[in-house]
Amino acid sequence: MKQEQFVTRYQHEWQQFEQWLQRRGGHARSVRGTVDADLPGDETIPQRYRRLCQQLALARHRGYSPQLVERLQQLSQNGHNLLYRTPPPRWSRAVEFLFADFPLAVRSQAGAMWTALALFAVPLVGIFVLLQLKPDLVHMLLSTTQIAQMEKMYDPAADHLGRDSGTDWAMFGHYIMNNISIGLRTFASGLLAGIGTVLVLLFNGITIGAVAGHLQQAGFGEPFWRFVVGHAPFELTAIVIAGGAGLQLGLRLLAPGRMRRIDALIEGGRVGARLCLGVAFMLLMAAFIEAFWSSIAWVPMWGKLTVSGVLWTLVILWLWRGGRGSAHAH
């Protein structure tokens, strides 16, 4: 086949492919819904790209002009760069998830979330109040070693609150591992028909209530509260959400409704996984605050309470209002 015949036969294909490259290059997502009668559909491009590569090979084999070979080579290279380029970071999608999808997911499981809050908060407050009336009961809840360690950590004369030693960065890593393990354990134990999550929430509520109640009654309350109020908004809320995720998982296992039990469990796992992504972010924030802000001993109580109040307000507004009016809201 002569070059003129070759060009005449395939010229329109090359022009269409070139137009597609110009339209899709750099902003494919923004024009995906546009309609152009002469623009090839995205689903045809892989096949068109393979044909273009074959035509380039034929042009080289038949000794067609360098200008034609160069044109086909450039089209092929541009097509390869666009089809096989590394996807750009999806920061906007991550932000959308945190500020819209995650709050919506939390509110969609409102029943499980309120139940988790009750299982966690009621024993916490109850034990705290009980220890103010009967302080000796702490020995039924905490060992002598644990009590001595807590009193040492919250000694008003200590350089850092809430820890014996360690740099801020070292403690940041420690808090991340500790917090994430608690969150995952709270969620994953929902596989035990929800009973595991119930026990984990009760245990954490009782333990935190016992520590807070004893330190308050023993005269270590002021340094203890200065330490915990900063990271509490993120950490405590994350524990409750992880508990709600575990409870909804257990409920789907016990009462799948019209779905097959395995399908209900898979659906519960998907919901729980999305919730745990947000929980991981919250626990990361809590670890950062705990390492770099909560342990500062020289900040007065009013400063710690002010920051805590701001953070509690932001967390509540985020979970209550986040995602309202978005395309994902129902």
Side-chain angles (χ1 to χ4, degrees), residues 59-214:
R60 286 173 173 168
H61 178 72
R62 293 172 180 174
Y64 292 156
S65 68
Q67 293 82 1
L68 177 60
V69 172
E70 174 63 24
R71 180 189 179 191
L72 296 180
Q73 173 66 41
Q74 190 63 46
L75 282 176
S76 175
Q77 184 63 47
N78 291 341
H80 180 275
N81 292 340
L82 185 57
L83 289 170
Y84 298 101
R85 64 184 177 182
T86 302
R90 303 182 66 180
W91 296 111
S92 61
R93 184 67 190 92
V95 171
E96 181 184 358
F97 170 78
L98 285 177
F99 288 94
D101 295 353
F102 176 62
L104 286 170
V106 171
R107 295 199 298 272
S108 72
Q109 306 298 320
M113 296 300 163
W114 286 114
T115 302
L117 176 61
L119 289 169
F120 178 70
V122 170
L124 190 158
V125 175
I127 292 297
F128 178 86
V129 173
L130 183 62
L131 290 180
Q132 306 314 301
L133 303 174
K134 297 184 178 295
D136 290 341
L137 291 178
V138 70
H139 297 287
M140 299 177 60
L141 304 171
L142 300 173
S143 68
T144 303
T145 302
Q146 289 175 313
I147 294 172
Q149 184 181 11
M150 291 298 107
E151 292 178 353
K152 182 180 180 182
M153 288 171 60
Y154 298 103
D155 185 342
D159 294 333
H160 288 85
L161 296 174
R163 67 187 195 222
D164 297 329
S165 61
T167 65
D168 290 346
W169 283 105
M171 296 308 297
F172 178 46
H174 169 73
Y175 293 144
I176 289 176
M177 295 299 295
N178 182 67
N179 292 352
I180 296 296
S181 66
I182 293 175
L184 290 178
R185 185 164 59 248
T186 304
F187 165 64
S189 55
L191 286 170
L192 301 175
I195 298 175
T197 296
V198 171
L199 294 177
V200 171
L201 288 170
L202 290 174
F203 173 79
N204 280 288
I206 291 171
T207 302
I208 295 174
V211 171
H214 171 71

Side-chain angles (χ1 to χ4, degrees), residues 21-30 82 85 88:
L21 289 174
Q22 293 172 352
R23 294 289 299 275
R24 295 300 192 253
H27 55 284
R29 291 179 62 86
S30 63
L82 185 57
R85 64 184 177 182

